[in-house]
Amino acid sequence: MKLFPLPAFSDNYIWILHDGQRALVVDPGESDGVLAWLKQHGLKLDTILITHHHADHTGGVAALREATGAHVIGPAFEPMPEPLQRVSAGEHVNVLGLRFEVIEVPGHTAGHIAFYAAEAEGTPLLFCGDTLFSGGCGRLFEGTPAQMLDSLTRLAALPADTRVCCTHEYTLSNLKFAQAIEPDNGALAAYVAKCQQQRAQNFPTLPSSIGVENSINPFLRTAEAAVVRSAQAHEPATTTDAVSVFATLRTWKNNFK
């Protein structure tokens, strides 16, 4: 089973997972690049997974379905390009021999979901859309800080070796903010150096892992003393409550340069 992040637009990735014959595509915001890549590699598109309704994740679905007959699976409670199989928390879907658990992760959008395969050739696999980014998290367009923190906490509890397949190359920007929050975090400094080298060679920084994110991502570290101190220094009204810390970090990040 091979995993490939196909670049799209300015900073999106459309994830493609395939077994050499059949392919799974996640959050295809456009279709032409996907169809060209599948043709180049002699693959048949079997299934499309969708995490949320934003156009840069769904814009290619209709054309791909029409061109390939692929089965489409997406969130139960969001506007979606019909027809599709709608799924929600606690359900499972079987694709290319893998069993994906559906995890509800509201915050970025109200009905956002993630797909998690505990057994994907020995290493767990997470397609998390725009909920968890490497070094960051999605903006709160439709949800609350409490919802997003709860969603991230759920993802952070997955096994440390879980591959985190998010859908934007935001890593270096996120890490700049993370270092402003935790300038003395050695694991973060090492990860920054690694990611800078990857981008200098035009390689993706993704997938990350849950273990890495728990050690460097401030939005998963709201109970850490250094993170709390930085949040309170930026916004004195911040309490030690994790939701309060998270809300301050998210608002700060929205305007961070």
Side-chain angles (χ1 to χ4, degrees):
M1 197 72 71
K2 295 183 179 179
L3 181 68
F4 181 75
L6 180 68
F9 309 122
S10 62
D11 54 30
N12 281 65
Y13 289 124
I14 298 170
W15 288 96
I16 302 176
L17 185 68
H18 70 89
D19 61 7
Q21 296 180 313
R22 298 173 302 152
L24 158 69
V25 168
V26 184
D27 285 348
E30 59 90 18
S31 59
D32 289 350
V34 175
L35 290 171
W37 196 92
L38 293 172
K39 182 178 180 180
Q40 177 186 351
H41 292 85
L43 299 169
K44 174 178 174 55
L45 182 57
D46 182 271
T47 303
I48 299 169
L49 299 181
I50 310 172
T51 63
H52 67 290
H53 68 82
H54 287 161
D56 62 324
H57 295 253
T58 63
V61 171
L64 288 172
R65 185 201 295 113
E66 183 176 346
T68 67
H71 181 57
V72 182
I73 304 172
F77 306 113
E78 299 218 346
M80 284 285 124
E82 301 283 357
L84 79 161
Q85 177 185 349
R86 290 181 175 272
V87 293
S88 57
E91 295 187 65
H92 295 83
V93 294
N94 295 303
V95 184
L96 302 186
L98 298 178
R99 186 174 187 263
F100 285 94
E101 176 188 351
V102 178
I103 305 174
E104 287 188 347
V105 284
H108 181 65
T109 65
H112 201 306
I113 61 173
F115 295 92
Y116 170 70
E119 292 293 333
E121 296 193 328
T123 309
L125 185 61
L126 174 70
F127 295 117
C128 53
D130 286 356
T131 297
L132 173 63
F133 295 129
S134 187
C137 72
R139 287 177 179 260
L140 304 185
F141 289 120
E142 299 175 12
T144 66
Q147 284 180 311
M148 183 62 113
L149 180 60
D150 183 64
S151 296
L152 292 172
T153 300
R154 200 172 298 122
L155 298 183
L158 295 173
D161 60 345
T162 300
R163 289 169 285 173
V164 176
C165 301
C166 49
T167 43
H168 288 280
E169 185 58 75
Y170 290 165
T171 307
L172 292 184
S173 173
N174 287 338
L175 295 180
K176 182 179 178 182
F177 178 70
Q179 286 195 300
I181 305 302
E182 284 192 282
D184 299 324
N185 184 329
L188 175 57
Y191 187 61
V192 169
K194 174 188 174 184
C195 291
Q196 287 174 334
Q197 184 177 35
Q198 287 173 299
R199 293 308 294 154
Q201 300 176 66
N202 203 33
F203 294 148
T205 60
L206 304 169
S208 178
S209 72
I210 290 296
V212 165
E213 295 308 311
N214 278 327
S215 69
I216 62 93
N217 190 325
F219 294 99
L220 304 185
R221 296 170 59 80
T222 53
E224 294 292 324
V227 176
V228 175
R229 284 195 301 270
S230 289
Q232 290 178 328
H234 179 76
E235 174 48 73
T238 305
T239 70
T240 57
D241 177 75
V243 174
S244 178
V245 174
F246 177 86
T248 293
L249 293 180
R250 186 59 264 181
T251 301
W252 185 1
K253 177 63 168 66
N254 290 346
N255 304 296
F256 185 80
K257 302 296 183 184

